[in-house]
Amino acid sequence: MLAKNKNDWTQNQKQRAKLLFNLYAKIERAYKHTLEFRGINEGKEKVKAKQRFEYWF
């Protein structure tokens, strides 16, 4: 579940994530960072991706 984008979660996964994130805020933060990093890596232009990564980091 945590390897997927929220938009691809089933209803059951959404419920489990809500419970998990309510109990463990650090896991939710890590999940959000993963999505941000993935968004940077999916960029098509290497220079822009590098700039976004440096800003993110």
Side-chain angles (χ1 to χ4, degrees):
M1 166 185 81
L2 295 177
K4 292 175 150 183
N5 190 310
K6 279 183 174 181
N7 298 330
D8 297 330
W9 288 351
T10 64
Q11 192 61 35
N12 187 35
Q13 288 172 325
K14 289 176 186 178
Q15 291 172 346
R16 288 187 306 178
K18 184 177 179 180
L19 290 171
L20 181 70
F21 293 160
N22 283 336
L23 291 172
Y24 303 100
K26 287 183 180 181
I27 292 176
E28 182 176 20
R29 253 183 290 153
Y31 175 73
K32 288 179 179 181
H33 286 309
T34 300
L35 293 178
E36 291 171 358
F37 185 72
R38 187 179 296 155
I40 291 170
N41 277 338
E42 289 176 352
K44 295 181 181 181
E45 296 180 37
K46 289 183 180 184
V47 174
K48 264 189 181 177
K50 183 179 179 192
Q51 290 171 344
R52 289 177 65 197
F53 176 74
E54 288 171 354
Y55 176 76
W56 178 79
F57 188 68

